[in-house]
Amino acid sequence: MEDGVLKEGFLVKRGHIVHNWKVRWFVLRQNTLLYYKLEGGRKVTPPKGQILLDGCTITCPCLEYENRPFLIKLRTRTSTEYFLEACSREDRDAWAFEITGAIHAGQPGKVQQLHMQRNSFKLPPHISLHRIVDKMHDSNSGIRPSPNMEQGSTYKKTFIGSSLVDWLISNSFAANRLEAVTLASVLMEENFLRPVGARSTGAIRSGDLAEQFLDDSTALYTFAESYKEKTGPKEEMNLSTMELSGTVIKQGYLAKQGHKRKNWKVRRFVLRKEPAFLHYYDPSKEENRPVGGFSLRGSLVSALEDNGVPTGVKGNVQGNLFKIITKDDIHYYIQASSKAERAEWIQAIKKLT
């Protein structure tokens, strides 16, 4: 990482005039958040734009877009708003933490307070659980249950654990994620919520109140009075349903070379096990449907040389590349943002091949 760079990586940014969403490479420095276009797997200089952090305010989690749960909103001193989407809750929170630190860099006491908040919580006194649940049911600003899948079963009227944690923080019922998890666990103990599926049900066996509710995008919950399960025999499921029923073990933004035009585009990759599949999504689209994917059984994955353009790669694209060859002999060329990230992806994929 360059000198003075606090954090860098892919985020999806909403346009100012036309509210479309495009992937940009962001570089966080002490006073500025820069963003770049990418061409051929490389950032194009000079920067496409910059966000001045002096006097900026940050909202995280930001729930203004229902289909984009991992948003950060920045509002500058001049009231310009920026919406930035990360690939996961963990990635979003890591960006928000670093950006918040950069905003308050001139206030050492504030930075110390942020670090303390990250690992501590205090449950607000005199919480009215009934008021929280009533607001959760609000048709405009509440939690919106929807069908979700876990291990081949479809559960109606459910929501994921990390979404509820986001909602509790956004509505000021909790100050941080640990406090929100504790509060959600209390709601379960008082029979306002119920766990759904093996992952969330297994967690309630924990003796620690703060660990009974899972701040996780794969753990499902529902309102106690609306519990309904709809399961179908696995042999009747279509292939796409089976592919997407595995447990998510890794996700992130990677650049991928197209098969026909050989151009490079950033995609959100999601690695699942049982069954082992790698899917990729177009982060500029609202719908959460993969635009492609393949089984990892029988696949080969390997790093490509960093000196020179490897065979099969079009254009002057080099550095942090790796290749996956499926059992059907289809070649996928993928670029990570760093050597460390490439090594992590290769290691995770190899375990499933």
Side-chain angles (χ1 to χ4, degrees):
M1 197 174 289
E2 299 175 13
D3 290 341
V5 174
L6 303 174
K7 186 174 178 62
E8 60 182 333
F10 290 119
L11 292 170
V12 186
K13 174 183 170 294
R14 192 195 74 172
H16 283 301
I17 301 174
V18 179
H19 287 180
N20 53 359
W21 297 80
K22 292 185 178 180
V23 177
R24 297 288 185 242
W25 181 263
F26 279 78
V27 176
L28 176 63
R29 293 182 177 274
Q30 193 71 17
N31 302 309
T32 311
L33 184 60
L34 305 168
Y35 54 94
Y36 299 79
K37 289 181 65 176
L38 276 93
E39 289 183 5
R42 292 171 175 263
K43 67 182 182 184
V44 178
T45 54
K48 177 73 174 174
Q50 64 176 354
I51 304 172
L52 299 178
L53 297 178
D54 183 34
C56 211
T57 59
I58 182 170
T59 302
C60 179
C62 172
L63 306 182
E64 294 189 26
Y65 286 84
E66 183 179 354
N67 293 327
R68 295 186 180 274
F70 306 127
L71 275 183
I72 298 170
K73 182 171 78 170
L74 297 176
R75 185 181 178 88
T76 68
R77 187 187 292 273
T78 58
S79 298
T80 303
E81 292 184 340
Y82 293 86
F83 291 87
L84 313 176
E85 183 183 30
C87 65
S88 66
R89 193 267 298 169
E90 294 80 7
D91 189 43
R92 179 201 63 189
D93 289 352
W95 271 103
F97 184 77
E98 295 294 343
I99 293 171
T100 303
I103 291 172
H104 299 292
Q107 307 171 43
K110 182 68 174 179
V111 175
Q112 184 180 10
Q113 181 183 355
L114 289 170
H115 282 274
M116 291 175 62
Q117 286 179 352
R118 208 178 198 195
N119 298 305
S120 63
F121 75 96
K122 181 181 178 182
L123 198 63
H126 312 301
I127 287 179
S128 169
L129 297 181
H130 287 280
R131 186 168 72 87
I132 295 175
V133 175
D134 286 345
K135 191 160 185 178
M136 288 172 68
H137 281 284
D138 188 277
S139 59
N140 295 319
S141 59
I143 293 285
R144 297 183 181 180
S146 61
N148 285 284
M149 176 168 286
E150 183 193 1
Q151 296 182 355
S153 297
T154 300
Y155 298 91
K156 292 183 176 181
K157 297 183 179 180
T158 58
F159 43 85
I160 62 176
S162 56
S163 292
L164 178 57
V165 171
D166 286 348
W167 185 89
L168 289 170
I169 296 172
S170 179
N171 285 273
S172 302
F173 290 118
N176 52 57
R177 304 197 76 82
L178 187 55
E179 185 176 316
V181 167
T182 304
L183 180 53
S185 297
V186 173
L187 289 169
M188 280 200 304
E189 279 201 337
E190 296 299 321
N191 297 318
F192 291 108
L193 303 178
R194 289 182 62 174
V196 177
R199 179 147 171 69
S200 55
T201 302
I204 64 174
R205 300 187 183 98
S206 168
D208 188 346
L209 183 64
E211 295 177 1
Q212 291 183 7
F213 185 91
L214 296 178
D215 182 6
D216 193 296
S217 60
T218 61
L220 302 181
Y221 298 89
T222 188
F223 294 117
E225 71 274 15
S226 65
Y227 179 76
K228 263 189 181 178
E229 178 184 358
K230 177 186 177 183
T231 59
K234 291 191 176 181
E235 58 270 19
E236 294 180 5
M237 294 181 194
N238 59 41
L239 181 60
S240 62
T241 300
M242 283 298 298
E243 290 178 9
L244 300 172
S245 66
T247 302
V248 175
I249 61 173
K250 187 173 179 61
Q251 57 183 321
Y253 292 130
L254 298 167
K256 172 187 166 294
Q257 180 174 271
H259 288 295
K260 295 181 180 179
R261 297 175 60 190
K262 307 296 183 184
N263 55 346
W264 287 82
K265 292 185 178 180
V266 176
R267 297 291 185 238
R268 179 171 66 89
F269 279 77
V270 178
L271 180 63
R272 295 179 172 90
K273 69 175 182 178
E274 298 178 1
F277 271 85
L278 183 62
H279 292 95
Y280 48 95
Y281 300 71
D282 184 348
S284 67
K285 305 298 183 185
E286 287 285 341
E287 62 269 14
N288 190 30
R289 297 176 183 175
V291 294
F294 49 91
S295 171
L296 291 172
R297 293 301 180 196
S299 296
L300 299 174
V301 57
S302 60
L304 299 178
E305 293 293 331
D306 287 333
N307 51 341
V309 180
T311 303
V313 174
K314 182 180 179 181
N316 187 28
V317 179
Q318 50 188 300
N320 309 320
L321 291 163
F322 63 99
K323 178 170 69 172
I324 301 174
I325 305 175
T326 70
K327 63 180 181 181
D328 299 321
D329 199 33
I330 299 175
H331 293 223
Y332 290 85
Y333 294 93
I334 301 170
Q335 185 181 43
S337 60
S338 66
K339 288 184 179 180
E341 184 183 45
R342 176 178 65 179
E344 290 173 2
W345 274 101
I346 290 175
Q347 183 180 15
I349 292 169
K350 279 185 174 179
K351 291 179 179 179
L352 302 179
T353 58

